[in-house]
Amino acid sequence: MEILFLILSGLAGGLLGGMGFGGGTVLIPMLVFLCGLSQHTSQAFNLAMFSVVSILAIVIHIKNKLIVMRGVWWMFIAIAAVAFGFSFVSRFINASYLQVAFGIFLIATSAVLFSFSTISGYNKV
């Protein structure tokens, strides 16, 4: 049964990630609640999956000329530095705090996206 949940989590994460929504937004909660993994393990697993999948996606996006390379390096340096630092810091944060922080992040992201779509007129359902 655990393998089925892992496959379903992977499919859901891949579906959302492929559309640009960020597969971790669904993968992490599914790994925690359906597969019983800890928050720390789920986040680490998500990062491992993201690393592999993002390389494949980057190759496709470069081939389709969808990435402007001159700005990528500055963003990469900033993201890599912060991610590297917080990957060490997160070890010392209680898992329940990480879950709450992740939940707040999802709610805030939803509110911002909803507000933006309403303001810009892209709220057609």
Side-chain angles (χ1 to χ4, degrees):
M1 191 65 142
E2 182 180 343
I3 293 174
L4 177 63
F5 285 140
L6 288 171
I7 292 171
L8 290 174
S9 299
L11 290 173
L15 175 70
L16 292 178
M19 292 189 296
F21 294 133
T25 58
V26 71
L27 184 61
I28 291 172
M30 289 181 83
L31 290 173
V32 170
F33 297 116
L34 295 180
C35 300
L37 298 177
S38 73
Q39 185 74 22
H40 289 97
T41 302
S42 297
Q43 286 180 212
F45 188 80
N46 179 62
L47 287 172
M49 293 299 102
F50 175 76
S51 299
V52 173
V53 173
S54 64
I55 291 170
L56 298 172
I58 288 168
V59 169
I60 291 169
H61 288 312
I62 289 173
K63 181 181 171 192
N64 292 332
K65 296 179 175 46
L66 296 172
I67 296 178
V68 179
M69 293 304 290
R70 71 173 183 267
V72 167
W73 294 110
W74 293 107
M75 192 181 311
F76 171 76
I77 291 168
I79 289 171
V82 172
F84 183 76
F86 273 94
S87 67
F88 286 107
V89 171
S90 71
R91 296 183 313 168
F92 304 107
I93 299 173
N94 187 311
S96 61
Y97 292 138
L98 286 175
Q99 284 181 330
V100 170
F102 188 68
I104 291 170
F105 166 76
L106 291 178
I107 291 168
T109 301
S110 298
V112 169
L113 290 174
F114 180 76
S115 297
F116 177 75
S117 68
T118 303
I119 292 169
S120 63
Y122 290 110
N123 59 348
K124 296 177 180 75
V125 179

